[in-house]
Amino acid sequence: MNCIKKTLGRLQHVGISKTFSLAHPHAAAGLVVLASFAGMFLGPGLTNSYGVFEEEYENLYSNSRTGAKGSISPAISIGAVHLASNYLFTTIAGALCERLGMGLTTFIGAIMVGTGLFTAGFCTKVWQLVLTQGVLAGAGVGTVFIVVSTIPTSWFSKNQGFLIGLVHSGSGVGGLVLAPLTRFLINTHELSGSVKILGLALAAGLSVISLGMASKPDELFDQEDEDSIDAVSSTGDNLSEHKASSLAKKRMSVRSFGVRDVRSTGGVLRSQEFWYLNVAVMLAEAAFYVVLFFLPVFSIGIGLSSEQGALITGVANGATIIGRIAIGYVADVAGNINMFLGTHLLVTLSCLFLWFPAKSFTVMMVFACTFGLFAGSLTPMVPLCSVTLFGQNGLANNVGLLGIGMVLTTAAAPVVARVFYEKLGQNGGGYGTVALLCGGIYFVATVSIFALRMCVSRRLWTKI
């Protein structure tokens, strides 16, 4: 019993030590950013490449093969549950971060991802895949995501948009690399073997990444505030100690409370800004994964090959790399909420005027580039907008709260999209209606972001 207690005690210290962080703060910050990028690559990158699995499961478990005509393919439930479990556990993991620490929470997610994928390799029924690759692997991805998506902001008070965009671009790189890699593994080791290999590789990789996780020590925040007072005092303006202290507190309020002085979970939930943000995020995230999940299937529906469908999906993921970094950089200048609004207005237009009429490989590639460039900004915008509204304190918990709504929308949206696709006709017949569905979802999300923007400030040219 004592051995178990000692082991659990040591596990709580997984990650960069506080001693190292205090002695080498710049090195610790660099390690955190690198580890977070790698975590995005292996965790959410897996989800972004799921379209390849969707195609395989559709071929294995479609109703046309089982003889059940006129009903929705049960294979869609695997991806839908994977997404729902993902976002459900962002909420749970947000609380775990406060209790167990960032490193141990990441390690737990690594074990869940690896176990879920590896055991999926032994499954022969849809319900078994729902429990393994759906529930367990999805929960692991959500657990990893909440850590790697929020932890870098605590280490940097400037250029947060660029750095978060850089970290979140890892999921785009992951989708770009893992989609063709998964296809290669399926072709060489069959579906069951490929899932087992990915499970072992991701468990090992994410376990190593957990060693690079650590929150910024309070001592470093205190030192920054002291440096701020010293900088004011050294200007020779003979400011009083009280005024210098007030300046430091103002700086701390930006870090701690954002534009709304909300200091508790209850206060966040009671604010109308949270609910505008929540509606926008849960709708936009659902539409984002509908596009990524079904691009390979839909591409085949308009007469393209499976290789072209995988390439289009890979390009969409690749475009998110550029978009997240570039838009994060511009957000530092224009404001996080302003960029959130602008990018999703453009995504809405791309769905309606590029995706809907698309009937060729060229148009699909143009849409994939446009969609990835702007829609990919959603994941870095979520923590950045949360920091803008409510500050750095409790960020993981606040982002986790946003995941509650996404559980329902991300589970329902793929199923609804499949209904549109199958009930309204294949071979391209139902393709346009799905494009309109996603365009409509993005339009409602954009309206909610606009309401959030007006709630914070009605001055259109203000940086928010």
Side-chain angles (χ1 to χ4, degrees):
M1 183 63 68
N2 290 332
C3 181
I4 295 176
K5 290 182 179 180
K6 289 181 180 180
T7 302
L8 292 175
R10 290 174 181 174
L11 284 175
Q12 291 184 350
H13 298 288
V14 171
I16 301 174
S17 68
K18 184 176 181 179
T19 302
F20 180 85
S21 298
L22 293 174
H24 309 282
H26 297 295
L31 285 174
V32 167
V33 171
L34 180 61
S36 297
F37 177 89
M40 279 288 181
F41 179 96
L42 295 178
L46 171 69
T47 303
N48 287 355
S49 63
Y50 180 79
V52 179
F53 286 113
E54 170 66 26
E55 180 185 346
E56 290 297 316
Y57 292 142
E58 175 68 18
N59 292 333
L60 281 174
Y61 303 108
S62 64
N63 290 319
S64 61
R65 293 175 64 91
T66 60
K69 302 291 186 180
S71 59
I72 302 304
S73 171
I76 187 61
S77 60
I78 304 169
V81 171
H82 178 92
L83 278 180
S85 180
N86 185 329
Y87 291 111
L88 174 62
F89 270 78
T90 60
T91 304
I92 297 173
L96 284 179
C97 290
E98 304 293 330
R99 294 177 176 271
L100 303 181
M102 298 294 191
L104 180 55
T105 302
T106 307
F107 180 74
I108 292 173
I111 299 303
M112 295 170 72
V113 171
T115 303
L117 290 178
F118 187 78
T119 54
F122 297 95
C123 297
T124 58
K125 304 291 184 181
V126 171
W127 68 266
Q128 296 169 344
L129 289 167
V130 167
L131 293 178
T132 54
Q133 191 167 359
V135 175
L136 192 54
V141 171
T143 301
V144 172
F145 172 79
I146 197 65
V147 178
V148 299
S149 66
T150 59
I151 192 172
T153 60
S154 68
W155 286 89
F156 299 92
S157 57
K158 296 181 180 179
N159 301 320
Q160 285 186 339
F162 172 75
L163 289 166
I164 291 297
L166 181 65
V167 167
H168 281 257
S169 69
S171 62
V173 178
L176 181 64
V177 174
L178 292 179
L181 177 61
T182 300
R183 171 56 57 192
F184 171 78
L185 290 174
I186 291 173
N187 292 339
T188 54
H189 299 280
E190 298 185 344
L191 181 58
S192 61
S194 66
V195 180
K196 294 174 186 175
I197 292 172
L198 284 175
L200 293 174
L202 266 61
L206 290 170
S207 295
V208 173
I209 288 167
S210 68
L211 301 176
M213 295 289 107
S215 298
K216 188 174 182 179
D218 291 336
E219 290 85 347
L220 292 179
F221 280 123
D222 295 338
Q223 182 61 48
E224 289 180 3
D225 295 323
E226 291 177 4
D227 292 342
S228 177
I229 295 175
D230 292 339
V232 171
S233 301
S234 63
T235 58
D237 293 336
N238 296 321
L239 294 178
S240 66
E241 180 180 348
H242 173 73
K243 189 172 183 178
S245 178
S246 297
L247 179 63
K249 289 180 179 178
K250 182 179 180 181
R251 177 187 175 282
M252 289 175 65
S253 70
V254 173
R255 163 168 60 86
S256 302
F257 306 119
V259 298
R260 291 291 180 265
D261 189 5
V262 178
R263 311 188 186 199
S264 65
T265 299
V268 171
L269 292 174
R270 286 191 296 270
S271 67
Q272 59 181 330
E273 292 89 352
F274 170 81
W275 291 105
Y276 284 135
L277 180 61
N278 187 41
V279 169
V281 170
M282 69 181 189
L283 291 177
E285 191 80 354
F288 178 77
Y289 281 109
V290 166
V291 177
L292 287 186
F293 277 20
F294 291 98
L295 273 180
V297 179
F298 295 162
S299 297
I300 294 173
I302 62 171
L304 304 181
S305 66
S306 60
E307 288 74 15
Q308 287 176 315
L311 178 61
I312 290 170
T313 304
V315 168
N317 278 297
T320 65
I321 303 170
I322 301 173
R324 286 166 181 167
I325 296 174
I327 291 172
Y329 178 80
V330 176
D332 287 327
V333 178
N336 297 325
I337 298 177
N338 291 339
M339 286 304 300
F340 194 26
L341 175 61
T343 54
H344 281 75
L345 175 61
L346 293 172
V347 172
T348 302
L349 296 176
S350 71
C351 286
L352 297 177
F353 297 104
L354 283 176
W355 194 17
F356 175 65
K359 296 295 180 182
S360 67
F361 176 74
T362 301
V363 178
M364 284 298 298
M365 287 292 285
V366 173
F367 168 72
C369 292
T370 306
F371 175 81
L373 185 65
F374 296 113
S377 66
L378 173 63
T379 51
M381 284 293 109
V382 172
L384 289 172
C385 289
S386 182
V387 169
T388 299
L389 293 171
F390 309 115
Q392 180 65 46
N393 285 356
L395 177 60
N397 184 60
N398 293 340
V399 174
L401 292 174
L402 294 170
I404 297 175
M406 288 187 281
V407 173
L408 298 176
T409 56
T410 54
V415 178
V416 173
R418 175 61 67 181
V419 171
F420 272 69
Y421 182 70
E422 293 190 0
K423 294 297 184 181
L424 298 179
Q426 296 183 0
N427 298 322
Y431 182 78
T433 59
V434 174
L436 290 177
L437 171 67
C438 290
I441 293 174
Y442 271 119
F443 175 76
V444 177
T446 303
V447 171
S448 185
I449 301 170
F450 180 76
L452 169 64
R453 176 63 178 78
M454 292 296 99
C455 183
V456 175
S457 175
R458 295 184 178 275
R459 299 176 60 183
L460 296 179
W461 304 112
T462 301
K463 176 182 175 181
I464 296 295

